Each structure stands twice: as C-alpha cells, then as structure tokens.
Amino acid sequence: MGLGSVKFLLNHFSQDSDSGDQVYDNTGKEDVTAFEPTLFIVANVDEDTDIKANFVLDTWTAASDTALDGETGASGGGIGNQSRFAGQIGYIKGDELNGHSYNLGISTEYDYRSLSLGGNWTRSFAEDNFTFSVTPQLFLDKAKDFDLENKKEIDFKSRTIWSLDLTGTQLLSPTDLIQFGYTHIQMNGMLNSIAGTVRVDTETTDLFGRQSEKMPSKRIRHALHSKWVHSLSQSSAFHLSYRYYQDDWDIKAHTLEWGPRFSFAQDQYFLMPTLRYYDQTEADFFETSFASEKKHMTSDSDLEEFNSVRYGLAFSSEANTVNVFGYDSDLQWSVGAYHTDRSNDMKYQVLQVGIGLSF
Amino acid sequence: MRFFKVCIFLLIAYFISGCANVKQIERGRMATKIMQLEPQPEEAKFLNSVNSYREGAAGGSSAVGGGCGCN
C-alpha cells in the first residue's frame, strides 16, 4: 500500500466578450482572466481508507465588476484583482462491495461565502458488473448583492443549494462500460448574479438606465446524464456522453461530448482530444433590455439562448520513478488546452498544467 | 417530471436485475486509464466548474452550482 499522493494543478481561464447585456455600463464587456492554483492531497490510512483534501486560491480580474464598482464604489478605482480561497476535506472508506465517502468544504471571497457538506454511497451488484451510487450535496452559501438605487452593497443574503445524484454503472462487455444517472438540484434564496443588471427603458434615475436583475428565489433543476466508454484496442478507446437538462426557469439544454483516447509506450503516455457541443434555450424572464420593470428580469448572457462548441486536447505522462526525500515515488505531469466558441459572441479558453507525485 | 421518474425507475430496475455478463478474468482492459469514466478527475473538476457557471445547465458531470460567486 502506498502512502498517498500530492498533485499541484494550475488552471488558467480567459474569456472575451463584448455582448453581455447584463453589464452595468452598457459596454457589454465580459472579459475575465482567472488563475486557479489547486493542491490535491491523498493520504492512504489503510487498505480501505483514504483521507483527501484540496485547497484552492483563485485570483481574477473581471471587466464587468470593474465597471460597476468604478462607477459606484467608495474607492472609485473599480475592483481590480479579486481572490477566493476554498478548501475541502474528505474521508473515503470502501471494500469490494461497498464504498462511502463524506466531505466538508468552505469557500470565501469578498462577496460570497460557502459551506458545503456532501457524501457518496456506492454498492456493487451482480459480481461487480453493476454499481449504483447515491451522492447528496448541500451548500449553505451567502452572497452579497448590489443596490444600484442607493449605490451600495447589500449585506450577505443566504443561498441554499442541495442536490441528489443517482448513478448506475454497468459493464456491458469486456470492452464496453456505460453509465446512466439523474441529478436533482434545488436552489433557494438570493439567486441574483452578483453585479448583474438589466437595462429598463423607463428607468430615469440611474446614469445608464439600469436596475438590478431580479431572479426568482427558487430554482428546481433536473439532469439526465449518460456516458459510454468503448475500447477499440489495448491502447485506444473512445467515449461518448450525453446530458438532457431542464429547469423551472424554462431552460432546456442538450450536451454531447465525444473523444478518442490513446495510450502509448505501455500506458506511460495518455492523449485525449475532445469535442463538446452544448445547446440551451433562454430563461423565460430573459430579455436583452426591458420596456418596463417586471417581477423577474435578467439580461445575463449565460441565460440567453445559445449553443457552444468546445475543442480540447489533454496529454499526460505517468509513472516516471524519482527519489524524493529518500522515498521512491512516481512522477506524473499533465497539460491540457480547451477553447470554447459560443454563438452569442463569447469565447473562452482553459489552460491546465499539473504535476504530481505518488508515494 | 413523470418522464424523469419513469426513466429513472426503468434504468434502476434494468441494471439491478442484470446478470453478471463480464467475468473478472475478462476485465483486464477496464483497469486501464483509457477505460476510466473520468480519466483525469482533478482536471475535470475545474472544467466542470467552468461549464456550470458559463451555462444555464448543471448536474451530471457538471458541478451543481454552489461554492462560489462565479455564476
């Protein structure tokens, strides 16, 4: 039994868009740059027990936040760099038939706080040909909103999210594995996007004719998801996944992802190109601008009707033995790049670099 | 909602009643990285978060939407 593993993963996210109708100053600029270094630690306690932890420190710059606070904030200089700290710790126990895990997480940033609790229970049936898992999660979050009329932040308001995922995985043949599942998500409380605004033609007091967006205080979401992995040879396979989603905000979405997978040099190297297509309808209270004030209003481009295509490539190297502090360990590294084009004039990229050691 | 409930019931009933059709000795390929449902779980965590705050949908492989003010 090994001692465990440590992995450092650096995520970089950049987004370009001039079409965000929710942006306060009417420029539509939604540019975002974010760095998210993450540390993953796994400690093997015994043959059946692991302790897992991960720690995240995000920093980012968002054009839309800067526009809002630049107009109204006390500093007058806008919000430059923001940051978020998050951590999660988990306990995992499993034997041949049953597995269970529990996790506790926190996250904090200047306008958002989160406490999360989660679990997972898994049981195998039919000589491990079928596995069924139940995954509940609870987020006890708090978010600040922005009062445009009085030009000040509003104190933290609660946002509670709970979800339940039921997933079954079946071995179909020595070369085929399929998975089906359902996720139910319920959100309650302050669901406004932080700093999200709408343009209202009859608005006369605000400099840019804007009001804060008004979301319903409840959202019930459903997702049916499936995945198929098929082996083509000892060193190649492909996966295909599909998800159907709908919620009571009238959004319906289809997600399709496909990609081959290759291993080289006796599984030392791994290559995975992917293609992901996503399509959604708009929320029933979405408009790019409003003739008059309504009970629920949003112009958030993420809730607009659009489709997107993501092209990705991931590569990793496994198991190069090195000596670290007197311990023989396996060194792994990985790189990944993903580019997404959205039909409502947004593009975003993700770059990932990881390095890890298993002891 | 009725559609979802029927789908879930049928899927669970089908899989739990399924017979053992792949023996242990035949599962050599299933242990390889290319056959994992999620071969890069740490990398996927960030990608799934991006999907959940840039899209109206959530659930399945994507994060459920809590934990940060990103969305």
Side-chain angles (χ1 to χ4, degrees), chain A residues 51-350:
Chain A
I51 302 289
K52 271 188 172 183
N54 66 72
F55 304 97
V56 178
L57 181 65
D58 294 338
T59 61
W60 70 92
T61 304
S64 55
D65 282 350
T66 305
L68 178 67
D69 198 60
E71 166 60 25
T72 60
S75 66
I79 302 168
N81 292 296
Q82 303 182 58
S83 62
R84 176 179 77 104
F85 170 77
Q88 189 178 57
I89 188 160
Y91 170 86
I92 302 153
K93 182 93 176 171
D95 56 28
E96 288 180 357
L97 276 181
N98 300 294
H100 53 99
S101 67
Y102 309 91
N103 62 72
L104 173 69
I106 58 160
S107 175
T108 178
E109 56 195 286
Y110 88 105
D111 55 3
Y112 204 90
R113 295 174 189 162
S114 175
L115 172 68
S116 64
L117 307 162
N120 171 269
W121 293 271
T122 301
R123 182 172 171 82
S124 295
F125 299 89
E127 297 176 23
D128 292 342
N129 273 256
F130 175 68
T131 305
F132 184 71
S133 70
V134 179
T135 308
Q137 276 185 282
L138 173 66
F139 291 87
L140 301 170
D141 293 3
K142 288 182 181 293
K144 276 188 179 177
D145 202 358
F146 201 90
D147 179 355
L148 275 181
E149 193 176 343
N150 296 304
K151 312 297 186 205
K152 66 176 185 181
E153 286 184 331
I154 297 171
D155 284 343
F156 282 100
K157 291 182 177 176
S158 80
R159 175 184 300 180
T160 304
I161 303 163
W162 69 266
S163 70
L164 181 67
D165 182 83
L166 307 173
T167 294
T169 306
Q170 171 79 41
L171 293 178
L172 281 183
S173 77
T175 57
D176 292 280
L177 179 66
I178 60 165
Q179 185 178 71
F180 285 97
Y182 165 72
T183 312
H184 177 96
I185 306 167
Q186 189 158 322
M187 309 172 77
N188 294 286
M190 207 288 281
L191 302 184
N192 290 2
S193 299
I194 298 166
T197 66
V198 296
R199 181 173 171 79
V200 180
D201 294 342
T202 53
E203 169 64 68
T204 55
T205 59
D206 181 72
L207 178 62
F208 296 104
R210 293 217 159 235
Q211 291 188 15
S212 294
E213 71 175 8
K214 295 178 182 174
M215 301 290 206
S217 59
K218 188 172 184 180
R219 187 178 189 184
I220 298 175
R221 318 171 83 177
H222 310 276
L224 277 173
H225 53 96
S226 61
K227 194 168 202 172
W228 173 37
V229 185
H230 175 68
S231 170
L232 298 166
S233 70
Q234 290 286 356
S235 58
S236 63
F238 70 80
H239 76 273
L240 177 67
S241 63
Y242 171 75
R243 177 185 65 180
Y244 174 73
Y245 167 92
Q246 71 175 51
D247 65 28
D248 61 353
W249 288 5
D250 213 22
I251 292 178
K252 295 180 177 64
H254 301 274
T255 311
L256 191 63
E257 184 171 335
W258 178 81
R261 299 166 175 182
F262 305 98
S263 63
F264 306 96
Q266 296 181 322
D267 296 340
Q268 183 167 357
Y269 300 108
F270 171 79
L271 178 69
M272 183 171 68
T274 53
L275 181 64
R276 182 178 186 272
Y277 174 79
Y278 174 81
D279 180 275
Q280 76 172 38
T281 60
E282 68 184 20
D284 63 359
F285 46 88
F286 173 90
E287 291 183 36
T288 54
S289 68
F290 291 81
S292 60
E293 185 176 352
K294 292 185 176 177
K295 183 180 179 187
H296 297 132
M297 306 185 288
T298 186
S299 297
D300 188 340
S301 64
D302 298 337
L303 299 178
E304 191 174 9
E305 180 178 357
F306 69 83
N307 60 62
S308 67
V309 179
R310 187 187 77 188
Y311 311 90
L313 187 64
F315 181 79
S316 65
S317 171
E318 312 287 324
N320 301 290
T321 303
V322 295
N323 189 282
V324 180
F325 303 121
Y327 290 98
D328 280 340
S329 57
D330 292 331
L331 173 72
Q332 304 104 28
W333 56 266
S334 64
V335 292
Y338 301 83
H339 174 84
T340 303
D341 270 318
R342 228 164 75 165
S343 61
N344 56 352
D345 296 326
M346 176 183 281
K347 298 180 195 305
Y348 51 91
Q349 294 81 33
V350 171

